[in-house]
Amino acid sequence: MENIKRTHEELQNNIPDLKGSSEKNYLYHEGYVYYSFEQPGARDATGWVSGGEVFKRVKDDGTEVTAFDKTYNKSVETASSRHMYSYSVPAFADGYVYFKILYSRSNDWSDDKNEWITYRVKADGISDLE
């Protein structure tokens, strides 16, 4: 099987989520594209609630879409608290793709909190998160 390296423009055409993104917003490794995707949000009675964000893996031809459900988080902001999730661009190291999410919390009744949540997946196109 021939390994074809696709251009940024081809990836944007094959993967609708990448339209309008720059090459620095995703990891392209061995025929797969790894990225985070934010879903639309809405307002509810407590304040602004985003639709959430999730890390995805997609074959570079636009097939074999995997959304890693463990990485799905909603950012919530109310009058007295804020919970935000910031997704980093996935990185490749030691045969794994690493996904990092920064969780930030601030509220009126306890200390602020910032912590990184890290997941990894073997870069073989079939493994699930560890």
Side-chain angles (χ1 to χ4, degrees), residues 36-99:
S36 70
F37 181 72
E38 186 174 350
Q39 293 147 77
R43 184 176 293 278
D44 69 7
T46 63
W48 181 257
V49 180
S50 74
E53 194 160 348
V54 65
F55 277 115
K56 289 185 175 183
R57 172 181 57 208
V58 181
K59 184 92 170 107
D60 63 4
D61 62 3
T63 62
E64 298 180 33
V65 178
T66 303
F68 297 109
D69 292 332
K70 287 182 187 175
T71 68
Y72 176 81
N73 292 292
K74 286 185 180 182
S75 294
V76 178
E77 186 173 346
T78 67
S80 61
S81 70
R82 181 179 193 179
H83 300 268
M84 301 295 295
Y85 295 89
S86 303
Y87 286 63
S88 67
V89 175
F92 176 76
D94 304 322
Y96 288 90
V97 175
Y98 288 86
F99 302 102

Side-chain angles (χ1 to χ4, degrees), residues 8 11 18 21-28 33-35 89:
H8 174 63
L11 292 174
L18 298 183
S21 70
S22 81
E23 291 179 67
K24 296 179 181 179
N25 291 343
Y26 58 84
L27 171 66
Y28 182 27
V33 180
Y34 302 85
Y35 61 95
V89 175

Side-chain angles (χ1 to χ4, degrees), residues 13 24 26 41-42 48-49 54 70 96 100-103 112 118 129:
N13 287 333
K24 296 179 181 179
Y26 58 84
W48 181 257
V49 180
V54 65
K70 287 182 187 175
Y96 288 90
K100 293 178 98 179
I101 304 168
L102 176 61
Y103 169 66
D112 293 350
T118 303
L129 290 175

